[in-house]
Amino acid sequence: CGPALPPDLPHGKVSAAAGRAAYDYVCAAIDDAQAGRIRAIVTAPLNKQSMHEAGIDYPGHTEILAERSGTDDFAMMLANDELRVLLVTIHVALADVMARITPEAELTAMRLADRACRQMGIARPRVAVAGLNPHAGEGGKFGREDIDIIAPAIRQARDEGIDASGPWPGDTVFMRARRGEFDIVVAQYHDQGLIPVKYLGVD
């Protein structure tokens, strides 16, 4: 894909050369997939700091895949034998999550969750939407985003024929999905969604 990495590249240290190479390798894999030369891509984690040192400003694989494939509506989704989780917001600081919780973002995530499950062979996916605030806001006591933004988006998704429900408290919705009540959980931010799915299947 590019110049060979030096044989004395230090392990476990931030390196612009390694960051550039990792990015180039991912891009080559995406190009091969789009050309039909391969059917899937498997990657290791990217060291974002190394990429940034090389002048490559992407927060992760998801955004590289989206740009390289010309995809506008996208999300990060992780799945294992017990859970499927799709994120509304991906690699952003927790302080910036609130500004990105919009009706449009919620609806896009629910549409993508429904579509992904159908592509996996689930005829009528049950999409659970996790609340943003503790206890899904507790009727407005812990914030109004669940009432004013997330719930109306769920209603609109239902009007489109998506079997979406919620917002459900984030501390119990993953357990309920694991028990079979839902086919996928739409989580609001990175750690809300990825901690449970990685805890159950990171290996």
Side-chain angles (χ1 to χ4, degrees):
C1 304
L5 289 170
D8 60 347
L9 184 73
H11 290 197
K13 300 214 182 284
V14 171
S15 161
R20 165 55 65 182
Y23 173 74
D24 289 344
Y25 300 155
V26 169
C27 289
I30 294 167
D31 294 346
D32 280 348
Q34 292 193 124
R37 290 187 288 271
I38 59 175
R39 294 181 62 192
I41 300 171
V42 179
T43 70
L46 292 172
N47 185 298
K48 283 70 168 184
Q49 189 177 351
S50 289
M51 287 183 12
H52 291 172
E53 293 277 333
I56 301 162
D57 191 25
Y58 290 91
H61 291 87
T62 309
E63 295 81 3
I64 298 170
L65 284 158
E67 182 176 290
R68 196 93 179 165
S69 64
T71 303
D72 293 322
D73 289 338
F74 63 92
M76 177 188 287
M77 176 179 166
L78 272 72
N80 58 38
D81 291 339
E82 298 184 76
L83 277 179
R84 294 176 197 89
V85 177
L86 185 137
L87 304 179
V88 177
T89 64
I90 310 174
H91 296 114
V92 297
L94 194 53
D96 297 332
V97 167
M98 296 301 220
R100 297 181 187 226
I101 299 297
T102 65
E104 297 77 18
E106 296 292 328
L107 196 53
T108 295
M110 285 181 264
R111 288 171 179 155
L112 289 170
D114 181 73
R115 186 191 318 164
C117 286
R118 290 178 189 275
Q119 290 172 336
M120 292 179 179
I122 301 169
R124 179 98 173 123
R126 297 161 299 163
V127 180
V129 181
L132 173 67
N133 297 298
H135 303 182
E138 196 74 71
K141 182 173 177 60
F142 304 140
R144 295 199 52 87
E145 293 84 1
D146 298 283
I147 295 171
D148 296 339
I149 299 171
I150 299 172
I154 292 169
R155 288 194 293 273
Q156 186 173 344
R158 293 187 67 80
D159 288 344
E160 294 181 8
I162 296 170
D163 185 7
S165 63
W168 300 109
D171 58 359
T172 54
V173 68
F174 300 99
M175 173 186 65
R176 294 174 64 190
R178 187 181 180 202
R179 290 178 176 174
E181 284 187 58
F182 310 115
D183 298 300
I184 189 166
V185 177
V186 171
Q188 300 301 320
Y189 55 93
H190 186 280
D191 285 8
Q192 182 190 52
L194 298 198
I195 288 172
V197 75
K198 286 185 176 183
Y199 177 78
L200 291 169
V202 74
D203 56 346

